[in-house]
Amino acid sequence: MSIELPQDLLSLEANSGIYAIWMIFHHYGIDLHIPDLVQLTRHDDEMGTSTIALAVALKTLGLDVTFFTAYDADKQPIEVEFYQQAEKLNIPVQERVIPYAEIQQQIEAGRFVIVFYDTLEGVGNHSLIYAMDEHEISFFDSFDAMPADVFEQQRQADGICQQVIVIDDRNFVMRHG
């Protein structure tokens, strides 16, 4: 199966978070306008977007989300703004690390999950999970599965905060199905 990605998504620097959102809506046959996503998440070509910004964007676009994060002692001002928006939108923000097995349970329950981790090249990356089991995890933005222990190591890198967005689409599907 081949997916034709929009050129403005392909040419966007640090696009992993925008790609994850685009991919979810592509699944529903909804074509999102990339400049709108850039604006909604306040994407930056150097830094990309924060995980909390992605959670707020997904909720704004009609999906129910839960946001998980380890304690973040270094929230940037833009992140603080998105945390305030998350509170206004009643997004559950759980300050705890969701373990690998629990992420797997969410996938097995049919939910979309976006994880934030350090790539092997040392770059923070948001990925939508394609599949996972106790041994490995696969992402929509990569052709290679990552061993579970490597993923766990990469999500514990400095500055990552082991952030996860769990997306529950049941209400969305009922409204748009």
Side-chain angles (χ1 to χ4, degrees), residues 23-72:
M23 198 70 207
I24 290 168
F25 282 89
H26 178 78
H27 169 80
Y28 300 114
I30 298 171
D31 219 5
L32 294 177
H33 193 59
I34 300 305
D36 291 343
L37 289 178
V38 167
Q39 184 177 5
L40 188 59
T41 61
R42 295 176 57 189
H43 177 276
D44 174 272
D45 278 344
E46 187 178 318
M47 299 301 293
T49 187
S50 65
T51 315
I52 190 66
L54 296 176
V56 167
L58 288 162
K59 180 69 173 184
T60 301
L61 293 167
L63 290 163
D64 293 326
V65 299
T66 303
F67 178 73
F68 297 88
T69 182
Y71 175 73
D72 184 356

Side-chain angles (χ1 to χ4, degrees), residues 96-149:
R96 72 175 182 91
V97 174
I98 180 173
Y100 185 92
E102 192 174 332
I103 296 170
Q104 183 180 343
Q105 289 169 354
Q106 295 293 340
I107 294 294
E108 289 171 355
R111 293 185 185 88
F112 286 115
V113 178
I114 297 172
V115 292
F116 186 57
Y117 62 100
D118 233 13
T119 64
L120 297 175
E121 294 77 34
V123 177
N125 192 61
H126 293 101
S127 287
L128 179 62
I129 298 173
Y130 178 75
M132 69 186 293
D133 61 27
E134 58 275 358
H135 305 292
E136 62 184 20
I137 184 168
S138 301
F139 307 106
F140 277 95
D141 58 354
S142 173
F143 294 110
D144 300 319
M146 181 181 281
D149 59 335

Side-chain angles (χ1 to χ4, degrees), residues 55-57 59-60 84-91:
V56 167
K59 180 69 173 184
T60 301
Q84 291 167 346
Q85 285 184 42
E87 188 174 340
K88 287 177 187 164
L89 292 170
N90 295 316
I91 295 173

